[in-house]
Amino acid sequence: MFEPHKFTSQPPDAQAPSSALRQVLPYISFDPDVATIASVDEGDSCQVSAQLGDVATIAAVEEGDGCCALLDAFLARGNGADFKGAIETLAGEPRHASAPAAKETEQWREVPGTNWFYESADRTVQFLRVQRIEFQTPAGLFVEKNGKRHKEFRQFRREGNKWVRGGVKNPDKELVLFRLSELLDDLKAGKEIYFVEGEKCVDAVREIGLAATCHAMGGNWRAQYAETLKGANVTILPDHDDRSEAWLDKAAPGLIKAGCRVRVLRLPCLEQAEDVFNWIERGGTREALETLSAEAPTWAPRARLEVNSEGFAKAVRAAKLDFPLIAFEDITFNLDEEWRVDRLFPLVGLVCLYGLPGSLKSFILQDLFLRMARGGYWGGREVRQCPVVYVAAEGSGGIKKRIVGLRKALVDKGESPAVPFSLITVAPNLGTGDGDCKKLIASIEGQLPSGTKPGAIALDTASQSMGGADENGAGMDMLVINATTIANHFQCLIVLVHHTPVSDDQRLRGKSSLRGGIDGSILSESVNGSKVATLTVMKMRDEDDAQSFTVRLKRIILGKTKKGHEVSTLVVETVEPGAAESVKQDKRKAADILRDEFIAAYDRLADGAPRDLGLDLRSSVLKVSVEKVRDELKNRGLLETDEKGNVAPTGRTHFQRTKAELVKTKGGKLVEEKGLIWRP
């Protein structure tokens, strides 16, 4: 909404044509005591509602004429108004103005803001007043700098009974911490002290019930501040900018020298130049801040690179090279940043899911991508949540139906269908030169929310994503190159859906460059007409190839056509470790099968279960009744039963033995308490 503006007393420009407002945008929103264009029809007329004090005018007229009537009413508002200013206001021009050249600042009007006072411990003497100042142009527009309102902070010292512009004269005595009297009480009570940057941040932290302070004069740290906090527990909340890091390098060592325990908490979700005030404004709470503070690291000096002039020059030259060298001792690898689906699909790379037609591979991949968009577990493997993009390069109509089926299955289970899963139904050409590689990247970046990158992209199928190029020749080479380029650009997983040749139902079809260029390949097999498929890992770099999963699907009804015909599709019901007996012989021992099925049963029951607190009262877990898991295993024929259908004693023994193995004290895959189990 626009803020009130002051206009000059100049009369309207009599020569200005009344048609000037014909160019005004039809959708305008500003201060309701000025005017509002309420709605615009799709045709040539618009409805104008003008509210000027206690006067209301509603007119349905030709487009432009209504705007002119609105201008006439606006100009008639007391004392007259500048015609150009009225046009800009009614046209919805921004209420802020960019900071102009220095000579124009003389025309700015200062807008005084909040005052903050630095006082003595007994609050009888005020040493310093800090005031926030903003600026407006003669047209009443607030001046902006770097996209935000331009502001200054001015200091005033007390001289007798008046305030004089400038800093204090005796800084060793008169430069004290903000809200000193309250701070001393907090220190006596042994409270955690949150050291922030700026008085507004102190007020915000104290409003949520925590002790906070800061000092005046920005980054100018003084030893007396640390002396006041001597021996205290301090959490520093730096602003999100480089200047704050420089200030931190002065403040933290001083506090540690004074015997303070110092933690540094860099708050999450802050944009450049934002601070704890913005974090609280977005919903940050006392409880959340206390939790984050307890987990924040103790301050340690930043590592500094010291090199001689020759070494520095060498470092600069290396930074400018396209292929810089990384020294052996500087090579690092994050052990927790390798897998999108644990030990099955990497975070970044190229994997091929392939099989004969009818092997259910597309159904399975769509279910897997939905799980990636939601996070959780799939086939007993942890899945890291991420936005996904599914490119339906062939059969987009059928894929849409399957995705509608997935959405219906979610809703039927009472779960939200609002997940970051996006579909593209236009086949890209990634098999001829760089083809549509750059266009595909730009299209994805241009349509996802700002700052969002896909964690996984599916190309279904590989052959239809090549623009008709030869999959037995250069077309396959370019597909691998372009798919790898996309994966590297987004730092994401690319999954290709592909086929096997007629002569060999377990080999990837096409040129061998595909097999050499991918990080993993997974074969999907299914008996014709069956709703059961087996996934077998045929290749996985740096991981065990001997992995298999059984995927069971079920048919669901989407609805009926106008002629009364049912429309249905298949959705994945379960994904379990190990190969289906109907497709491959299961070579696991009975105890291994029961253990794997126990975990798979928990995952099925946990899917959609409400979240609860874990044993540490902080982690969020999905709890499932042990009894329900036992019933699930019994119903699947995995536990022996008696003639009445109850679990037999041998079945109970096998169940208890398996559960005990899974919930063992150290390294257990499950946790148990009061008849409930969950993943740690």
Side-chain angles (χ1 to χ4, degrees):
M1 301 294 288
F2 275 85
E3 298 187 4
H5 298 281
K6 289 186 178 180
F7 295 87
T8 67
S9 58
Q10 299 174 1
D13 183 356
Q15 302 302 316
S18 61
S19 62
L21 265 182
R22 294 182 187 275
Q23 304 303 318
V24 174
L25 295 176
Y27 296 91
I28 304 174
S29 177
F30 47 93
D31 196 286
D33 74 344
V34 179
T36 300
I37 292 184
S39 62
V40 178
D41 296 333
E42 293 181 358
D44 294 328
S45 64
C46 66
Q47 182 182 26
V48 178
S49 172
Q51 296 179 352
L52 306 171
D54 58 350
V55 179
T57 304
I58 299 178
V61 293
E62 290 297 314
E63 183 175 1
D65 293 341
C67 294
C68 293
L70 182 58
L71 175 63
D72 293 339
F74 183 81
L75 291 175
R77 190 181 183 214
N79 297 326
D82 176 66
F83 184 84
K84 181 175 181 295
I87 291 281
E88 291 176 346
T89 300
L90 293 176
E93 294 294 325
R95 63 176 178 271
H96 301 296
S98 299
K103 64 180 181 180
E104 298 181 42
T105 62
E106 298 176 2
Q107 303 177 24
W108 290 356
R109 182 174 70 86
E110 294 184 359
V111 182
T114 307
N115 286 288
W116 293 282
F117 297 90
Y118 284 77
E119 304 172 319
S120 60
D122 58 6
R123 306 187 74 170
T124 59
V125 181
Q126 291 180 329
F127 299 122
L128 189 69
R129 173 165 67 92
V130 177
Q131 184 178 39
R132 178 188 174 110
I133 304 291
E134 295 180 348
F135 302 90
Q136 282 184 327
T137 67
L141 307 180
F142 279 94
V143 178
E144 284 192 342
K145 184 177 181 180
N146 298 327
K148 296 182 179 180
R149 284 189 183 182
H150 179 50
K151 63 182 182 295
E152 289 182 3
F153 292 95
R154 294 180 182 169
Q155 297 182 7
F156 301 83
R157 65 176 180 271
R158 175 72 81 175
E159 290 189 1
N161 294 324
K162 63 180 181 179
W163 290 102
V164 178
R165 177 94 178 259
V168 299
K169 289 187 174 181
N170 186 358
D172 290 340
K173 178 183 177 181
E174 297 175 340
L175 282 181
V176 298
L177 292 176
F178 185 49
R179 299 180 70 160
L180 179 61
S181 176
E182 298 164 89
L183 176 63
L184 294 177
D185 290 339
D186 296 329
L187 291 170
K188 289 179 182 178
K191 294 183 179 179
E192 183 80 21
I193 306 300
Y194 292 86
F195 211 116
V196 302
E197 296 186 70
E199 297 82 7
K200 183 171 71 169
C201 293
V202 173
D203 292 344
V205 173
R206 285 192 172 273
E207 281 182 12
I208 63 174
L210 297 174
T213 191
C214 70
H215 64 79
M217 300 180 67
N220 296 312
W221 176 261
R222 299 182 68 86
Q224 63 219 51
Y225 302 145
E227 189 63 28
T228 302
L229 295 169
K230 189 173 183 178
N233 292 328
V234 179
T235 296
I236 299 178
L237 305 176
D239 295 352
H240 190 58
D241 55 37
D242 292 337
R243 181 189 62 80
S244 295
E245 294 299 322
W247 166 79
L248 181 62
D249 286 342
K250 301 175 184 177
L255 290 168
I256 290 175
K257 188 175 180 180
C260 298
R261 185 231 65 214
V262 180
R263 293 175 178 152
V264 178
L265 171 56
R266 293 177 174 83
L267 290 167
C269 304
L270 291 185
E271 301 293 338
Q272 182 66 22
E274 290 189 334
D275 50 36
V276 65
F277 176 86
N278 303 108
W279 183 80
I280 292 173
E281 194 175 39
R282 293 192 183 109
T285 64
R286 170 178 178 166
E287 294 74 16
L289 191 55
E290 288 178 321
T291 299
L292 290 170
S293 171
E295 297 174 347
T298 302
W299 180 84
R302 288 187 290 176
R304 300 185 183 277
L305 178 63
E306 296 182 3
V307 296
N308 56 32
S309 57
E310 180 182 352
F312 179 76
K314 183 178 179 181
V316 171
R317 288 195 301 271
K320 295 180 178 180
L321 295 175
D322 292 330
F323 307 99
L325 299 176
I326 304 175
F328 183 80
E329 63 271 18
D330 295 333
I331 299 172
T332 61
F333 176 72
N334 190 331
L335 299 178
D336 296 317
E337 295 289 332
E338 186 175 6
W339 300 103
R340 177 63 60 194
V341 179
D342 188 32
R343 294 169 290 124
L344 192 60
F345 288 88
L347 274 177
V348 181
L350 192 57
V351 174
C352 193
L353 176 63
Y354 70 106
L356 289 168
S359 59
L360 306 175
K361 52 191 178 293
S362 290
F363 289 99
I364 294 169
L365 186 59
Q366 288 150 26
D367 180 78
L368 173 60
F369 265 52
L370 178 60
R371 175 51 65 190
M372 291 180 186
R374 298 169 63 214
Y377 288 84
W378 194 84
R381 302 293 179 86
E382 185 176 5
V383 180
R384 296 185 58 173
Q385 189 273 339
C386 67
V388 300
V389 175
Y390 199 100
V391 180
E394 75 174 26
S396 61
I399 289 178
K400 286 181 179 179
K401 183 172 74 169
R402 297 168 191 172
I403 293 176
V404 169
L406 290 172
R407 189 169 63 220
K408 183 178 186 300
L410 277 182
V411 173
D412 288 347
K413 289 190 291 186
E415 299 181 35
S416 171
V419 294
F421 185 119
S422 301
L423 177 68
I424 293 177
T425 58
V426 179
N429 174 13
L430 302 178
T432 307
D434 61 5
D436 292 329
C437 181
K438 294 179 181 178
K439 292 181 181 178
L440 183 58
I441 290 173
S443 295
I444 293 172
E445 287 181 332
Q447 296 177 83
L448 288 180
S450 178
T452 301
K453 291 185 178 182
I457 299 174
L459 296 175
D460 187 357
T461 62
S463 59
Q464 293 301 313
S465 300
M466 295 168 59
D470 183 8
E471 66 178 30
N472 292 301
M476 186 61 76
D477 298 336
M478 293 312 306
L479 175 66
V480 172
I481 291 172
N482 286 323
T484 302
T485 298
I486 296 170
N488 291 336
H489 178 86
F490 289 118
Q491 285 294 286
C492 73
L493 166 70
I494 301 288
V495 182
L496 303 173
V497 177
H498 199 38
H499 297 96
T500 60
V502 177
S503 59
D504 186 347
D505 60 4
Q506 290 195 342
R507 181 173 62 84
L508 276 167
R509 194 175 73 188
K511 192 176 178 181
S512 60
S513 57
L514 176 60
R515 292 186 290 279
I518 58 179
D519 298 287
S521 60
I522 301 174
L523 174 65
S524 179
E525 297 175 290
S526 178
V527 175
N528 218 7
S530 170
K531 297 186 185 68
V532 179
T534 292
L535 300 182
T536 304
V537 176
M538 307 299 286
K539 170 186 175 181
M540 191 60 60
R541 286 181 180 171
D542 301 326
E543 202 41 61
D544 182 16
D545 293 347
Q547 303 180 63
S548 60
F549 298 84
T550 297
V551 184
R552 291 184 171 87
L553 294 86
K554 67 177 181 179
R555 186 166 296 280
I556 64 170
I557 306 300
L558 301 181
K560 292 185 178 181
T561 67
K562 293 179 180 180
K563 295 183 178 180
H565 301 307
E566 284 188 344
V567 178
S568 64
T569 188
L570 294 177
V571 296
V572 171
E573 182 178 22
T574 63
V575 182
E576 304 163 0
E581 293 182 3
S582 59
V583 182
K584 284 184 176 288
Q585 183 180 0
D586 197 334
K587 298 180 180 179
R588 294 173 296 164
K589 295 180 180 179
D592 295 336
I593 293 174
L594 187 56
R595 184 179 61 249
D596 293 341
E597 293 293 342
F598 192 111
I599 295 174
Y602 163 81
D603 287 336
R604 287 193 298 272
L605 295 169
D607 190 14
R611 290 196 169 272
D612 203 347
L613 291 176
L615 292 177
D616 58 2
L617 299 181
R618 292 170 56 194
S619 57
S620 176
V621 299
L622 299 171
K623 296 183 178 180
V624 172
S625 163
V626 172
E627 185 177 354
K628 287 185 177 179
V629 175
R630 186 186 63 200
D631 290 343
E632 176 77 357
L633 294 174
K634 181 195 73 173
N635 294 336
R636 287 181 171 268
L638 295 164
L639 296 177
E640 299 88 340
T641 58
D642 58 23
E643 57 186 14
K644 294 182 179 180
N646 299 319
V647 178
T650 53
R652 286 197 297 271
T653 300
H654 293 153
F655 178 85
Q656 292 296 336
R657 186 180 298 160
T658 302
K659 178 168 69 71
E661 181 181 353
L662 292 171
V663 300
K664 56 188 177 183
T665 305
K666 292 185 178 180
K669 294 185 177 180
L670 296 172
V671 177
E672 180 185 20
E673 184 186 49
K674 297 180 180 179
L676 299 173
I677 58 173
W678 62 91
R679 284 185 179 271

